[in-house]
Amino acid sequence: MALRLSKTLLRSNQHVRLLSTDRMQSVENYEAVLDKFAQIRACAVLRTATSEACPKAMQAAIDGGFEICEFTLTTPNCLDHLADFRKKYDGKVMIGCGTILTIADAEAAMDAGSEFIITPVMLPDVIQWCKERNIVCVPGCQTPTELVSAYRHGAPLQKLFPGVAGGPMWVKAVSSALPFLSINPTSGVDLDNAADFLKNGAASVGLVAPLFDQAAIAAGDFDKIAQNAAKVMANVRTAGPYQRKK
């Protein structure tokens, strides 16, 4: 009886371990994602009001030079579009998912093919879930305290959101005082100041409204999005690659 019980418990524990490592990524994949962020240093962050506009806008950003793209869950049919772009550009353009608020959101994003996870606020449970699975999680933070907390919970990049007074100089001050952080501003970054953030301590930046001009999208002027992308990526390249924090 005791032996049968022990075997049952063993099988149960094995099942728990299997469940705890679902959607596991390799260490090599984890490192490759961070290397891509360090090399490219800019991510196109897309929100559109309609499902129809989403793939057209993101395609324009890629045509303009972006190699890291984030689809956000606030966009209708976000995960369908994410899956389509992941299949189309696998190995060429890195595709991630943002506005993740729960572990269930993160699971759905990974099932759709997301290569990294972005949250709008600091969510320790999501960070930990990602850390256990070698998934790069970039959580939203607004203060130095939140940035450090995200780092201590296991986030290798920390998203600065929303923008703060001082912009690049704020990033410079915080990076100087807390040099172990790898800050990713995604608000307050525009087509002209992206390199300023990078040259003053930011690891990478996210481009949202300045890249994806909503008036241009509404008018179907996706050439404007491609032009915005080309302009900001030329700006970003002047900063050179980022030296990753180990």
Side-chain angles (χ1 to χ4, degrees), residues 64 66 191 207 209-213 216 222-234:
F66 271 86
L191 307 183
L207 275 295
L211 169 62
F212 293 109
D213 184 302
F222 296 103
D223 286 343
K224 175 65 174 175
I225 308 303
Q227 291 165 8
N228 289 347
K231 179 177 180 178
V232 73
M233 287 309 301

Side-chain angles (χ1 to χ4, degrees), residues 34 151 156 175 178-183 201 242-246:
L34 292 176
Y151 169 82
S175 296
L178 304 166
F180 52 86
L181 295 177
S182 294
I183 303 174
Y242 178 66
Q243 186 66 42
R244 280 183 54 193
K245 310 289 175 64
K246 297 294 186 178

Side-chain angles (χ1 to χ4, degrees), residues 43-51 53-55 57-58 68-83 85 94-101 105-106 108-109 112 114 116-121 138 159 161 186 206-209 211-212 214 217:
C43 177
V45 183
L46 178 62
R47 297 185 182 91
T48 59
T50 68
S51 177
C54 177
M58 190 63 89
I68 305 176
C69 300
E70 174 191 338
F71 291 87
T72 57
L73 288 181
T74 47
T75 298
N77 301 316
C78 163
L79 296 181
D80 292 334
H81 297 306
L82 186 156
F85 273 74
M94 190 163 70
I95 306 295
C97 192
T99 320
I100 299 292
L101 289 171
D105 287 344
S114 183
F116 57 90
I117 294 296
I118 310 284
T119 71
V121 291
V138 189
K159 171 181 172 179
F161 176 82
T186 60
L207 275 295
V208 194
L211 169 62
F212 293 109
Q214 292 301 309
I217 292 175

Side-chain angles (χ1 to χ4, degrees), residues 125-187:
D125 59 334
V126 175
I127 298 171
Q128 185 64 34
W129 184 89
C130 290
K131 180 182 178 182
E132 291 172 354
R133 291 159 178 78
N134 296 323
I135 298 168
V136 171
C137 180
V138 189
C141 307
Q142 229 276 314
T143 66
T145 299
E146 287 189 330
L147 290 166
V148 171
S149 181
Y151 169 82
R152 289 182 173 177
H153 278 94
L157 291 170
Q158 305 86 39
K159 171 181 172 179
L160 179 60
F161 176 82
V164 292
M169 293 301 100
W170 189 96
V171 173
K172 180 178 182 179
V174 173
S175 296
S176 296
L178 304 166
F180 52 86
L181 295 177
S182 294
I183 303 174
N184 178 287
T186 60
S187 177

